[in-house]
Amino acid sequence: MTRGCDFCGLALPPSYWGRPGEDAGPAYCCFGCRFAHAVAQERSDRAGPSLVLARLGLAIFFAMNVMAFTMTLWSGDVYGSEPGAAAPLLHGIFRWLCMLFALPVLILLAGPLAANAFDALRQGRPNIDLLLLPGVLASYLWSVVSVVRDDGPIFFEVGVVVLVFVTLGRWLEATGKAKASAALDGLRKLLPETAHVVRDGAESAVPLAEVRPGDRLRVRAGERIPCDGRVVAAWAAVDEQLLTGESAPQAKQPGDAVIGGTLALDGDLVIDATAAPDGGHLGRLIALVRAAGLTQGRYQKLADRVAGRFLPLVALLAIAATAYHGWRGGVPAGLTAGLSVVVIACPCALGVATPLAAWVAVGRLARLGVLVRTSAALERLADVRAVMFDKTGTLTVGESAVTELIIDPAQDRDEVLNAASVLAGASGHPMARAVARFCPAQCVTAVVGMKTVPGRGVIDESAGRMLGSPAWLTASGMHWPSGLTNALHRAEQTGQSVTAIAWGGTVRGLFVLSERLRPGLSDALTRLNEMKLSAVVLTGDTVYRARAIGSELGVEVRGGLLPEDKVRLLDEYRARIGAVAMVGDGLTDAPALAQADVGIALGCGADVARESAAVCLLGDELALVPETIAIARQTVKVMRRNLVWAFGYNVVGLAWACSGTLSPVVAAVAMVVSSAFVIAGSLRLAGGSLVAASSAPAEVVSPAA
Amino acid sequence: MNECLLALFGGLAGSAHCVGMCGGLVVSLGVRGQEMAALRRQLIYAAGRVFTYSFAGLAAGYAGLRFGSELDTWPAGRAVLQLVGGLALIVVGLELLGLLPWRAKGDAGCLGPALFEGLRGSARGVFFAGMINGLLPCGLVYAWLAVAFSTASLLRGAAVMACFGVGTIPALAALGAGARWLPCSARHTLARVGGWIVVGSGVALVATAAYGFVVTPVDCPLCGPHGVG
C-alpha cells in the first residue's frame, strides 16, 4: 500500500524517482491539502486569526483591485471621453497601478504553490503546478516589461485570477476530501468526547484520548461506553445492537465485558478499561472500514491509469499551444494559450472522481451497520441481478422449536428422548439445538465417537444411533414403522420440518419442528422485487417445506439442497441471470458465500474479523440488504458520472484551450466549478435513505443526547 | 446621481433584512464590553463589505457598458438596461416580501464560512472577513447590482453599490457593537417597508426606462425605423 496524504489520507501518487527512505517529511497529494493542513494546524495551535487565510484574504483584496483597474483599462470608460492630454496619462497610471497591486498577489500565493511543487518534485511526484508556475511567471514578466517600456499589452489579471482561483479550488478539493475521509471514520462518533475517570475516589472528566487501559471509568445512564472494559460495580442494560447485532438490550453486571461505543440504557456502570478507546472492538471495526476505503475498485484503477499519463500529455499540449500561438499571434497569445491549457487541465477531478464516492458510501454503510470489505465489492454489488438467501439462520428468527414428538407405539418415550438429547448435544445445527432444548437436560451423558454429517445429521457410530433428516435415515437403510411413515407424510405435506431418530435398523421417533420467519423479511423481498432483483431462497428442507415457504413469501424457494447443491445452483443462476449475491450466516453456507459474486454475511458483529464474506451485516436486519444494494448502485452511478464528467471536461477543455480562444481567467473559474461538481456529487451520497423504507434502521447511529 | 440616493435609502431600509441574514455574523466578531473598540472593529468589517460591494458594482457597471455597446444600434439601449435592472429589482423586492410563489435558495457554499471563521479573529483579518461577507449570496445585493448594471458605467456602478453598502452600516455596526436591536414586531414592519422600497425603486427605474423609450424614437429591430420625418 502506498503512503497516504498527510491531510486527506488519499493514497499518494506513485513516486517516479524519490527513494522510499526520503519520504520522511510531510507529504501531500496536492497543494490544497498542504494549504488546508496549514490552516487546520494553525487553528489547533492557537485560537485566533489564521495567518495563512489572512494571506489569502489579502491576495483576494489585491486581486479585486487588479480586476477593477483592468476593467477600467479595457473599457476606457473612466477617462476615455476626456479630451486632451489627460487620457494617455491616466492610461499609463492605471497600468502602473495594475502592476503595483498584482505583484503582491504573486508573492503571497505563488510562494506556497512553488514550495509545494518543489517538495513534490523532490519526492518524485511531479504535479501540474510545475507547469502552472512558469506560465504565471511568464505572463507577469511580459506585463512588467510592457509597463516599464510603456508599450505593449499587459495581462496581470490573468496571473492574478489564476493564482487566486487555483488556491481556492485546491483548498476546496482538500476540504471535500477531508470530509469524505471523516465520513469513513463515522463510527468514531459512537465514542463520547470525554470520559469520567475515577481516581482516588474523585471523578473527573478527561478527554477521550487520555483514557488508558486500567483506568476506572463511570458511565452514566444514556451515555456511550468510552472503551472496551469490564464491569466492576453496578448493573445496567446495554444496547449493543450497532456493534454486535444483538437487538435485545444486554443486562451487564459486575464481571461482564462491555464494548466501547455501546449505549448504557438505564443505569450507571463502573468499569475498568481493558483497551484504549482507539483499540478494542470498535477500533478494529474502524480500521477495517478505513482499509476498505483504501482498496481500489476497477473504476479507480482506470482513473489512475489515465491520471498517470495525464501530466506528460498536458505538458506536451501546453508547450505545443504556446509555440503554435506564439508563432502565429505573438508572445502574449502564446503565453495565454499555454496557460489556459495548464489551468483548464484538472487532474484533480480524475483523481478524486471515484475514491471520494467510495469513501462516503463505505462510511455511510458502516454507520448503518454494514461492513463492506473492499471498494471492488461495492462495485460488484451494484451489478448484482439476483439475491439468494440461505434459509437456515438467515430467514428464520432465532431457532425453531419442536412442536410435536411422534413415537413408535412400541417404543419407550424416555429412551427416545435420552438418545435424542445425546445426539443433538453434539451438533450446532439449529434443528439439533431445538431437539436438545426439547429433551429434558438431566438425562444427557457424555458420549465420544459422535460424527456430524453436513446437511444430513449426527451419528453416534459406537452405538449406531442416528439423528437427522428422514431421507438420510432411509438412505442408510433404516426401516420406517407404518405409523411414523404416515406422520412423516402428513408433516411434509404441510411443509413442516422433520428430524428423525433411529437405531438398530428402525426409525424410533419423529420430531416435528416449526419455525417463525423473520419479521420484515417480506418487506425486504418486496423491495428487492421493486429493484428488479430476483430473490431466491435456498434451503436444505424438503421440497414440500420449500413450497410452503415459497407460497408464504411469494418468492422462488428451492428445497432439498445440500451445500454442494447450493454452489451448483448459484453457478446456474449466474449463467442465466447475471451476478448473484448470496446472503447467509457465514457458518453453514461459507462455500456458497465464497462462490457468489458478493457474499453477504448476517450477524457478524461479534466477530468482524471473520473473512467469510465481502459484505458483513453487523446485525441481522434483512432490510439492510436492499438498502446496501441501493447505496452501492447509487455510488457506482456517482462514480461513473464523475468519471464521465472528469474525462469529458478535460477533453473538451483541453481542446478549447489548445485552440487559443479560451481565456485563462475563464479556465480558472471552470476548473473550480468542475472540482466542486465532482466533490459535491460524491458528498451527497452521505445523506438520506435511498430506499423508501420506514423500517430501515437509519436512526440507530444517532448518539444519545 | 439619483440612483445613489435611492441605493443609500435602499440600504438603510433593507437593514432589517440584513440583520436577519448577517446579524449572526457581525455579532460573532465579538469584543464584549469596550464599546468603542467594538465599534471600530465593526466599521473596519463594514469597510471590507463595502469594498466587495463596490467591486461588484464596478464589474456590473462594466458588464452593463459592454452589453450596452452591443445595443448601440438601438437608440434606447440605455432604457433597455434600465428596464432589465428595474424588473430585477421588482422581482427581488417581491421575493423579499414573500409574495412570490417560489423561494430563492441561498447556499453559502462551503469555503465562505471556513474563510470567514479563520479571518474574523483579529483586526488584521476582520477587513477580509467583511470582504468575504460581501460575497455571500443575498437577494438585496443582487437587486442593487442590477441597478449598477443599468448605469452602464464603471464609476457609477461602483458608487451605487458603495452607497447601498454604506446604507446598511448603521444597523449592522450598531448591532455588532452591542446595541439592543428593535423589538421583533418593529423589525417585521421595517423588513416589509424595506421590501416595498426595493419594489418601488424597481417601478421607478422601469418608469424611467419607459420615459426613455418615449422620448427616443425607437427603431424596431424587426420592422425598421418609423415615424419622425
Side-chain angles (χ1 to χ4, degrees):
Chain A
M1 171 105 320
T2 46
R3 185 179 165 188
C5 167
D6 281 359
F7 179 69
C8 69
L10 211 66
L12 288 174
S15 172
Y16 288 105
W17 51 76
R19 272 169 293 172
E22 287 175 4
D23 264 14
Y28 303 100
C29 62
C30 65
F31 173 64
C33 284
R34 185 194 183 99
F35 187 87
H37 200 199
V39 172
Q41 251 174 356
E42 259 190 350
R43 192 165 297 169
S44 65
D45 284 353
R46 61 203 165 83
S50 159
L51 282 180
V52 179
L53 290 184
R55 282 168 79 109
L56 179 58
L58 193 61
I60 295 175
F61 171 74
F62 282 123
M64 282 177 164
N65 280 293
V66 171
M67 284 309 295
F69 292 128
T70 306
M71 283 190 279
T72 311
L73 283 171
W74 281 345
S75 67
D77 178 45
V78 176
Y79 53 82
S81 54
E82 299 280 326
L89 179 68
L90 279 171
H91 188 77
I93 288 175
F94 279 121
R95 281 163 67 98
W96 277 94
L97 280 174
C98 263
M99 184 169 84
L100 204 65
F101 281 91
L103 288 177
V105 180
L106 185 70
I107 296 160
L108 287 167
L109 297 185
L113 206 61
N116 183 64
F118 287 125
D119 278 352
L121 191 65
R122 209 164 31 78
Q123 289 169 350
R125 303 185 178 95
N127 60 30
I128 200 142
D129 296 344
L130 282 173
L131 299 171
L132 195 72
L133 283 165
V136 169
L137 280 178
S139 75
Y140 261 86
L141 211 60
W142 181 270
S143 305
V144 168
V145 170
S146 293
V147 170
V148 173
R149 287 175 52 210
D150 200 16
D151 183 31
I154 62 169
F155 37 102
F156 285 114
E157 83 285 355
V158 168
V160 165
V161 169
V162 165
L163 283 175
V164 167
F165 273 82
V166 163
T167 305
L168 280 176
R170 303 278 150 89
W171 184 29
L172 176 81
E173 256 163 43
T175 318
K177 283 189 277 188
K179 264 189 198 161
S181 181
L184 207 51
D185 286 343
L187 283 178
R188 210 177 286 278
K189 287 191 192 131
L190 289 179
L191 295 176
E193 281 175 14
T194 56
H196 312 290
V197 177
V198 184
R199 284 191 185 117
D200 308 323
E203 187 184 317
S204 58
V206 303
L208 192 64
E210 289 173 22
V211 174
R212 300 273 172 272
D215 280 347
R216 180 152 294 187
L217 309 170
R218 176 183 288 278
V219 183
R220 297 208 169 75
E223 286 181 346
R224 287 199 177 267
I225 296 169
C227 58
D228 287 5
R230 195 162 290 283
V231 180
V232 286
W235 69 273
V238 175
D239 179 0
E240 297 187 333
Q241 179 164 22
L242 207 59
L243 294 175
T244 65
E246 192 58 63
S247 56
Q250 302 291 299
K252 297 286 181 183
Q253 52 193 14
D256 285 349
V258 288
I259 305 172
T262 54
L263 182 64
L265 290 174
D266 58 352
D268 292 5
L269 285 175
V270 180
I271 63 169
D272 275 347
T274 52
D278 272 345
H281 190 82
L282 187 63
R284 279 195 298 277
L285 212 57
I286 292 171
L288 277 173
V289 174
R290 180 152 278 282
L294 284 179
T295 59
Q296 294 200 325
R298 69 190 138 152
Y299 290 112
Q300 194 175 343
K301 283 186 184 141
L302 172 71
D304 280 359
R305 249 202 328 271
V306 176
R309 314 223 164 102
F310 196 70
L311 188 66
L313 175 75
V314 172
L316 280 178
L317 282 177
I319 292 167
T322 310
Y324 177 76
H325 291 285
W327 171 63
R328 291 282 304 269
V331 175
L335 275 180
T336 46
L339 200 54
S340 290
V341 170
V342 175
V343 172
I344 198 91
C346 191
C348 326
L350 268 178
V352 301
T354 64
L356 235 56
W359 286 16
V360 173
V362 168
R364 176 174 170 197
L365 285 169
R367 288 202 309 278
L368 289 175
V370 181
L371 195 64
V372 180
R373 287 190 191 277
T374 62
S375 308
L378 197 67
E379 290 173 8
R380 282 203 305 274
L381 204 54
D383 291 338
V384 159
R385 291 286 162 270
V387 182
M388 291 189 160
F389 292 89
D390 187 52
K391 196 207 78 181
T392 313
T394 307
L395 300 190
T396 45
V397 102
E399 293 178 333
S400 43
V402 175
T403 48
E404 203 182 348
L405 169 61
I406 301 154
I407 296 174
D408 182 22
Q411 194 65 45
D412 176 32
R413 182 183 164 90
D414 283 347
E415 195 187 353
V416 171
L417 282 177
N418 203 357
S421 89
V422 170
L423 286 162
S427 167
H429 193 278
M431 277 164 92
R433 283 210 295 269
V435 171
R437 269 200 314 277
F438 183 74
C439 301
Q442 67 269 21
C443 43
V444 175
T445 48
V447 176
V448 289
M450 298 285 213
K451 205 175 119 194
T452 305
V453 186
R456 295 175 175 92
V458 200
I459 178 166
D460 173 2
E461 283 174 331
S462 57
R465 293 182 172 179
M466 305 164 83
L467 174 75
S469 77
W472 176 49
L473 299 188
T474 312
S476 307
M478 293 296 168
H479 164 72
W480 287 81
S482 61
L484 290 188
T485 313
N486 293 339
L488 177 66
H489 284 316
R490 233 181 13 254
E492 281 184 340
Q493 266 155 18
T494 54
Q496 282 168 304
S497 316
V498 173
T499 191
I501 184 163
W503 65 81
T506 313
V507 177
R508 313 283 170 159
L510 283 184
F511 294 87
V512 180
L513 294 101
S514 69
E515 54 198 349
R516 265 192 312 129
L517 293 172
R518 197 180 287 286
L521 169 61
S522 61
D523 283 353
L525 291 175
T526 313
R527 230 168 299 137
L528 286 176
N529 193 26
E530 281 165 10
M531 292 164 69
K532 310 229 179 315
L533 289 164
S534 330
V536 186
V537 175
L538 308 184
T539 171
D541 295 349
T542 60
V543 192
Y544 301 108
R545 175 73 187 134
R547 238 177 252 155
I549 299 175
S551 64
E552 188 181 339
L553 293 176
V555 292
E556 186 183 347
V557 179
R558 305 288 289 262
L561 300 174
L562 297 172
E564 55 266 31
D565 294 333
K566 293 178 185 170
V567 173
R568 187 180 44 74
L569 212 67
L570 219 137
D571 287 335
E572 200 183 302
Y573 269 84
R574 183 186 293 130
R576 197 152 56 83
I577 300 179
V580 179
M582 174 84 200
V583 185
D585 62 5
L587 295 173
T588 54
D589 44 20
L593 284 191
Q595 180 71 17
D597 295 275
V598 188
I600 303 176
L602 287 184
C604 39
D607 185 15
V608 285
R610 201 160 73 201
E611 289 284 351
S612 57
V615 178
C616 291
L617 267 53
L618 300 188
D620 44 19
E621 184 74 48
L622 281 173
L624 282 176
V625 172
E627 175 82 8
T628 303
I629 296 176
I631 291 176
R633 283 181 174 181
Q634 182 74 14
T635 307
V636 167
K637 211 160 90 185
V638 170
M639 281 179 179
R640 283 207 195 114
R641 197 175 59 202
N642 283 351
L643 276 181
V644 167
W645 173 272
F647 281 126
Y649 162 88
N650 277 302
V651 168
V652 171
L654 282 175
W656 188 9
C658 285
S659 76
T661 54
L662 174 65
S663 153
V665 174
V666 177
V669 178
M671 185 265 297
V672 173
V673 171
S674 161
S675 302
F677 177 81
V678 167
I679 291 165
S682 304
L683 289 180
R684 249 202 305 277
L685 278 173
S689 169
L690 293 174
V691 179
S694 52
S695 61
E699 291 308 310
V700 285
V701 259
S702 61
Chain B
M1 283 291 108
N2 54 356
E3 314 104 331
C4 289
L5 268 179
L6 210 58
L8 188 66
F9 282 114
L12 274 172
S15 297
H17 170 79
C18 305
V19 166
M21 303 306 280
C22 300
L25 295 181
V26 298
V27 170
S28 73
L29 291 180
V31 190
R32 295 261 160 267
Q34 313 147 301
E35 283 192 0
M36 280 321 288
L39 190 63
R40 211 182 67 216
R41 198 154 178 189
Q42 287 295 336
L43 290 179
I44 298 174
Y45 181 80
R49 214 156 38 84
V50 172
F51 172 76
T52 301
Y53 290 160
S54 310
F55 171 75
L58 184 126
Y62 176 72
L65 184 70
R66 292 295 292 265
F67 187 64
S69 70
E70 299 289 317
L71 295 182
D72 254 356
T73 46
W74 295 17
R78 162 112 176 128
V80 173
L81 293 185
Q82 283 172 335
L83 190 66
V84 172
L87 289 177
L89 265 185
I90 293 173
V91 170
V92 172
L94 292 177
E95 218 267 294
L96 288 177
L97 288 168
L99 294 179
L100 288 186
W102 72 85
R103 290 202 61 79
K105 267 183 267 165
D107 185 357
C110 57
L111 280 189
L115 249 180
F116 181 84
E117 278 300 310
L119 286 172
R120 66 170 194 201
S122 76
R124 230 184 334 206
V126 93
F127 178 83
F128 304 127
M131 256 168 53
I132 305 302
N133 186 174
L135 291 174
L136 292 186
C138 165
L140 264 185
V141 170
Y142 297 156
W144 291 103
L145 277 178
V147 178
F149 175 79
S150 76
T151 62
S153 149
L154 276 68
L155 285 185
R156 284 171 67 194
V160 165
M161 287 308 289
C163 286
F164 163 74
V166 169
T168 62
I169 291 178
L172 281 178
L175 175 74
R180 286 186 55 193
W181 183 237
L182 294 170
C184 195
S185 59
R187 227 184 313 170
H188 195 70
T189 317
L190 208 58
R192 294 196 69 78
V193 171
W196 283 116
I197 287 187
V198 173
V199 174
S201 312
V203 172
L205 212 56
V206 170
T208 317
Y211 181 69
F213 281 122
V214 173
V215 295
T216 326
V218 177
D219 293 341
C220 170
L222 295 177
C223 47
H226 66 83
V228 202

